Amino acid sequence: LDGILFKFTTGYPWYDLPEGYPSWQTCYRRFRLWLRQGILHQVLALGFDQGPDQLLQPGDYGWFGF
């Protein structure tokens, strides 16, 4: 999760994740999987302490750029 959050808070490309994070391929693969399964949506809802209906719905990619 840290690698995914780092990418979207800094705007760095996936392949520029610094050492200490999993490989960029792993982070990207998990991001895509979690986005498709709605897991990322649930994690963000917990992190922002908002109800799921106040965030992006699965399939509504918004600022993720898809």
Side-chain angles (χ1 to χ4, degrees), residues 13-37:
W14 286 108
Y15 56 84
D16 273 345
L17 290 177
E19 288 186 33
Y21 291 99
S23 72
W24 73 266
Q25 295 96 334
T26 299
C27 290
Y28 180 73
R29 196 174 322 118
R30 287 181 185 162
F31 165 73
R32 295 288 300 188
L33 177 65
W34 293 353
L35 192 61
R36 278 195 308 269
Q37 294 179 345

Side-chain angles (χ1 to χ4, degrees), residues 6-62:
F6 179 86
K7 188 267 186 276
F8 287 105
T9 56
T10 63
Y12 284 22
W14 286 108
Y15 56 84
D16 273 345
L17 290 177
E19 288 186 33
Y21 291 99
S23 72
W24 73 266
Q25 295 96 334
T26 299
C27 290
Y28 180 73
R29 196 174 322 118
R30 287 181 185 162
F31 165 73
R32 295 288 300 188
L33 177 65
W34 293 353
L35 192 61
R36 278 195 308 269
Q37 294 179 345
I39 295 169
L40 189 61
H41 176 76
Q42 294 171 357
V43 169
L44 292 175
L46 291 172
F48 289 112
D49 197 25
Q50 297 179 6
D53 57 333
Q54 296 174 326
L55 295 174
L56 297 173
Q57 297 298 315
D60 179 14
Y61 301 116

